[in-house]
Amino acid sequence: MVPLLLVLLLALLLFGAGFALKALWWIAVIVLVVWLLGFVIRPPATGGRRSRWYRW
């Protein structure tokens, strides 16, 4: 009985980890797309200079 419970618990943990990893992959892809869109869609440059993401 105990080995059966351990196997079921292991299967549940692996399923949960697999689902979490798949969700993290989708979140990573969405963040990458938003980051790349940030390079394409920029606010208009002020003062004739090219706008940058930093303020140096």
Side-chain angles (χ1 to χ4, degrees):
M1 184 71 176
V2 173
L4 179 63
L5 288 175
L6 288 176
V7 169
L8 289 175
L9 182 62
L10 182 65
L12 183 64
L13 284 175
L14 290 177
F15 173 75
F19 178 76
L21 287 176
K22 188 168 183 167
L24 286 175
W25 271 110
W26 279 110
I27 291 170
V29 168
I30 291 169
V31 167
L32 178 66
V33 168
V34 169
W35 181 64
L36 290 174
L37 282 176
F39 284 108
V40 176
I41 304 170
R42 291 182 175 224
T46 57
R49 293 183 357 217
R50 183 180 168 101
S51 65
R52 295 195 174 128
W53 60 272
Y54 55 86
R55 301 172 120 191
W56 295 349

